[in-house]
Amino acid sequence: QSALTQPASVSGSPGQSITISCTGTSSDVGGYNYVSWYQQHPGKAPRLMISDVSNRPSGVSNRFSGSKSGNTASLTISGLQAEDEADYYCSSYTSSSPVVFGGGTKLTVL
Amino acid sequence: EVQLVESGGGLVQPGRSLTLSCAASGFTFDDYAMHWVRQAPGKGLEWVSGLSWNSGDIGYADSVKGRFTISRDNAKNSLYLQMNSLRAEDTALYYCAKDRGYYLEYYFDYWGQGTLVTVSS
C-alpha cells in the first residue's frame, strides 16, 4: 500500500494560515471519513490533532481544522504560532491494508 | 494521566529475535485496542500491528506478517511485540499507541515515547 501524498514542506509567517494537503485514492481518503492528522515535534512522540476528517480531540486548539474533498484531505492551521513548527502526518483507513500514513510535511514558521 | 512506556529495544543481529513491551497506566487498559507503530530514522510513520481489547481481532502490516506477533496481558496492563527473523529494514523507533475504543479503529490518541530497535551485524 503506497503512502498518502503530502507536500514535503510548507511555511508561513506568524499569524498567517497554512494548509497541508493529503492526497490518496477512492480506496482510502476518498472512500472513508476516517482521516486523522498527527503533529510531531522533533524527538517527540506524535500527537493526534484531528480525527474523522474534521473532529478535534479535547485539548487541541481550535486553530487546527480538517476537511476533505474527493480524494484529498486538508489540515488548516490558522493564526500560525512558533510552537506549530513541527512535522505533520495524515492517515487514513484503507480497503486493502487497515491504515496508511502520509509521508509527512515539515511546517516551518518563518 | 495516560502513560505508555515502551521497553525492550536494542541492537540485534539480522535473523535474530527481540520482544518489545509497553506498560500502560492512567486508563482502563482492557477497554481499548492497542497498536504498535514504527518510524525508521528520519522517515515517516508506519503502522505495524494492532489488537482489540480482548485480542479477538488482530492485524499486521504486510511487511511484518508471519514474523511479528502482537499480544497483550490485560491483568498486567501490558502490550507486547514479539519480533522474529529481524531484518535491517526493521530498524526503527517503535511506538506503542492506544486506540480510542474496544475495537481496531486505527485512531492513535495516545503514544509512548518509543523504544529503538537497531538491526545490524
Side-chain angles (χ1 to χ4, degrees), chain A residues 39-46 82-88:
Chain A
Q39 175 192 64
Q40 186 178 34
H41 287 109
K44 301 294 186 182
E83 67 207 48
D84 299 332
E85 184 162 296
D87 293 329
Y88 291 85

Side-chain angles (χ1 to χ4, degrees), chain B residues 24-42:
Chain B
S25 61
F27 65 102
T28 304
F29 183 70
D30 53 9
D31 278 355
Y32 295 94
M34 297 293 295
H35 300 267
W36 290 98
V37 179
R38 69 185 180 183
Q39 186 170 33

